[in-house]
Amino acid sequence: IRSGIMKAGDICEGALKEMSKPVDSQDFLSNVATVSANGDSTLGELIATAFTMSKRNGAISVKDGKSMKDSVEHVQGMNFDKGWISPYFATSKKGDKAELKDCYILYSESKISTIKQILTRLLELATNKKLGKTNF
């Protein structure tokens, strides 16, 4: 059964690739966004603008606003809506931003419940050993 489902998925993927058209112009992007916005051309233009600003691999998030006007806000880098646990994470004098350059990021697919799970990697960082992609 699994192999049949995989073959059917491959056939569907091939058919979709044949039917697809690249979105290569702002006008075409605006038309697609207008259709996605239930025919609202003003909202379609905003969506197209947001996609143009965020480039190909950017992220777009939608928030409820307090005004009656729709708008697009562009943020460089990553933006977290939630605060941090300690104010010591802030790097600005006002204490409202944490800007880091050339930093290491720990990504874990599972919950880290004890320091023992990441201690070896933290020790390597502390001794400035070069880290590559590693699995925990």
Side-chain angles (χ1 to χ4, degrees), residues 54-93:
S54 69
K55 305 289 186 216
R56 188 150 187 88
N57 293 323
I60 297 173
S61 61
V62 179
K63 296 181 186 177
D64 286 333
K66 295 180 181 168
S67 68
M68 295 295 292
K69 184 180 176 189
D70 296 323
S71 63
V72 174
E73 179 183 350
H74 185 254
V75 177
Q76 283 289 96
M78 293 181 69
N79 188 15
F80 295 99
D81 291 335
K82 305 289 182 196
W84 39 72
I85 295 172
S86 171
Y88 293 110
F89 284 118
T91 58
S92 67
K93 295 195 189 256

Side-chain angles (χ1 to χ4, degrees), residues 27 48 61 91 101 114:
D27 190 42
S61 61
T91 58
K101 294 183 180 180
T114 63

